[in-house]
Amino acid sequence: MKRSAFFLTALALSAAVVGCGGSDAPATQAGGDAPDATTAAPSALSLSVPEWYQIDEAARTVTLRITAGATNVQNYWNFNGFAKGSGASIIVPEGYAVTLEFTNQDPNMAHSVGIEEWRESNWPGSVEVSPEFPGAVSSNPGSLIDSTMPGESETLQFEVDRAGEYAMVCYVPGHATIGMFVKFVVSSDGTAGVMM
Ligand SMILES: [Cu+2]
């Protein structure tokens, strides 16, 4: 119930923003919609289920296809084109088994992935490998030569047994500092999908 209401609200807000042609320049809008657009701006994200997120509610499983260097955002130091803990929050229901199919499409650079404690900023140059869920980290994650190299893939499996806010992060030195992390949320109310 709560989830549906939230979803509809988010959709409505999203539609309002789109209808106004964007929220970052309300002063240029000719009509009377500018105040609404300004109000909606902080909540302009909406929940959706992109093609890289598959959920089976009966089996309580989620499969995430996560690609490092999916786009050239941040010189390829991104996950599915997202970085800096903003733009997308991946939301998985508590108690689900997650299969994370990780691929590195950055033509130049090693990357890795794991689920760590959330932090919005001030990531250290070398992130300590301390995954929040057993199995939620790729192999040799801090190595420049032996983590997930360009063109390589690795599949992780883990169960998200504690609701909370976490970070999907790259452990290759300096990458998290630059912003190679995305918010990863384990919901306690069954919410599933990606806020973006
Ligand atoms: Cu990286």
Side-chain angles (χ1 to χ4, degrees), residues 14-135:
S14 178
V17 170
V18 169
C20 292
S23 58
D24 54 349
T28 66
Q29 300 299 315
D33 291 342
D36 288 344
T38 303
T39 303
S43 304
L45 300 178
S46 62
L47 187 66
S48 64
V49 180
E51 43 82 28
W52 49 266
Y53 184 119
Q54 294 175 338
I55 183 166
D56 183 333
E57 292 182 344
R60 296 170 68 81
T61 61
V62 165
T63 299
L64 303 173
R65 283 205 314 277
I66 302 297
T67 303
T71 70
N72 63 4
V73 164
Q74 282 216 132
N75 194 29
Y76 300 101
W77 294 17
N78 63 72
F79 293 115
N80 290 5
F82 300 106
K84 296 187 174 176
S86 62
S89 296
I90 299 169
I91 307 173
V92 176
E94 185 178 31
Y96 274 50
V98 176
T99 298
L100 194 162
E101 298 174 358
F102 181 57
T103 300
N104 182 2
Q105 283 186 2
D106 183 338
N108 310 309
M109 175 60 65
H111 292 293
S112 60
V113 68
I115 308 299
E116 292 285 336
E117 187 176 290
W118 169 248
R119 60 168 85 200
E120 193 157 6
S121 58
N122 298 319
W123 286 90
S126 290
V127 178
E128 185 186 345
V129 181
S130 180
E132 290 286 330
F133 308 105

Side-chain angles (χ1 to χ4, degrees), residues 77 110-112 170 172 175 180:
W77 294 17
H111 292 293
S112 60
C170 179
V172 173
H175 290 206
M180 195 169 176

Side-chain angles (χ1 to χ4, degrees), residues 170-184:
C170 179
Y171 300 84
V172 173
H175 290 206
T177 310
I178 294 295
M180 195 169 176
F181 66 100
V182 172
K183 186 175 277 191
F184 184 92

